[in-house]
Amino acid sequence: MSDDGDSDRDADDGDSGRDADDRGRRVEVYPGKEVTVDFDPDLTFECVSECTWCCQHGVLLYGADLIELADRANLAETTTSFRGETFVTREEKDRDDHVADDGQACAFLGEDGLCRPQRDDEHDWKPTRCSVFPLAVSREPDGLHVDIRDSAHEHCEGLGVSERRVIEELPAFLPELLWELENPDSERVL
């Protein structure tokens, strides 16, 4: 028996529809679009209202995000370019809550800890990078891989607080746009 648990996973191909440990398994998220899940399949996540840690950093925007955001905000005022990529700006906030150690947060994070475009949009829209959190997405030779960000384990209060199993909700976390991107790496920061 190997130490990495592969023999246990290989032995448990029961008829339950999912293995006791789906870690390292391919999961179809959309028809013809799969990911390799590299996290505990029993992991749960739900945003916690007072936790805005993920909103205190620059949000990388992809092309489709820019088009959507242009309908909701002035891009010249709310985005910045860094290393050839576009991010939502971080701005100084005049408050002690919902800010990083440097007093800044995403330009869209309101005093109430809510995202203005998401709150004000009847379709509950948010940028791809925001949907993905707390997952880390990477492109490997065998396709997309998803895991939980190391920083989420350290800072995110929403891990393990609900019955919402991440593996069962992958379409909510992983917009189809990710399969079209050359580099969907979700760890790039401003």
Side-chain angles (χ1 to χ4, degrees), residues 176-189:
E176 285 189 86
L177 165 70
L178 292 170
W179 281 263
E180 300 168 18
L181 300 173
E182 183 178 320
N183 184 5
D185 177 7
S186 59
E187 296 289 340
R188 297 191 315 272
V189 296

Side-chain angles (χ1 to χ4, degrees), residues 11-189:
D12 184 18
D13 286 332
D15 4 6
S16 67
R18 70 173 175 81
D19 296 335
D21 186 356
D22 291 325
R23 194 180 307 222
R25 298 289 181 147
R26 298 293 293 172
V27 175
E28 186 174 66
V29 180
Y30 301 102
K33 295 180 178 172
E34 297 180 337
V35 296
T36 298
V37 173
D38 293 326
F39 59 86
D40 180 347
D42 291 325
L43 180 78
T44 63
F45 173 79
E46 195 71 46
C47 281
V48 176
S49 62
E50 291 302 313
C51 176
T52 58
W53 181 83
C54 62
C55 306
Q56 297 170 16
H57 311 284
V59 175
L60 176 64
L61 297 169
Y62 303 110
D65 293 328
L66 285 168
I67 293 167
E68 290 287 334
L69 188 56
D71 288 339
R72 295 163 173 82
N74 181 328
L75 294 181
E77 294 175 1
T78 58
T79 64
T80 188
S81 182
F82 179 68
R83 295 185 180 161
E85 297 181 302
T86 304
F87 289 81
V88 173
T89 57
R90 294 180 73 237
E91 64 183 21
E92 188 75 29
K93 303 289 185 174
D94 188 24
R95 60 180 185 247
D96 294 328
D97 294 346
H98 310 299
V99 295
D101 291 339
D102 63 2
Q104 295 188 11
C106 174
F108 296 119
L109 184 62
E111 287 187 39
D112 57 3
L114 298 175
C115 173
R116 287 191 311 267
Q118 185 180 8
R119 179 188 63 208
D120 298 343
D121 190 88
E122 64 188 54
H123 305 291
D124 196 29
W125 178 83
K126 57 186 166 183
T128 301
R129 278 287 287 269
C130 298
S131 294
V132 168
F133 195 83
L135 301 178
V137 178
S138 62
R139 184 173 301 283
E140 306 292 333
D142 64 342
L144 291 183
H145 280 242
V146 293
D147 202 347
I148 303 302
R149 294 179 191 214
D150 290 338
S151 59
H153 284 293
E154 296 172 30
H155 302 284
C156 180
E157 297 176 22
L159 294 173
V161 299
S162 74
E163 299 297 316
R164 182 182 182 214
R165 291 182 64 223
V166 174
I167 199 165
E168 293 172 355
E169 302 285 336
L170 285 175
F173 290 98
L174 304 174
E176 285 189 86
L177 165 70
L178 292 170
W179 281 263
E180 300 168 18
L181 300 173
E182 183 178 320
N183 184 5
D185 177 7
S186 59
E187 296 289 340
R188 297 191 315 272
V189 296

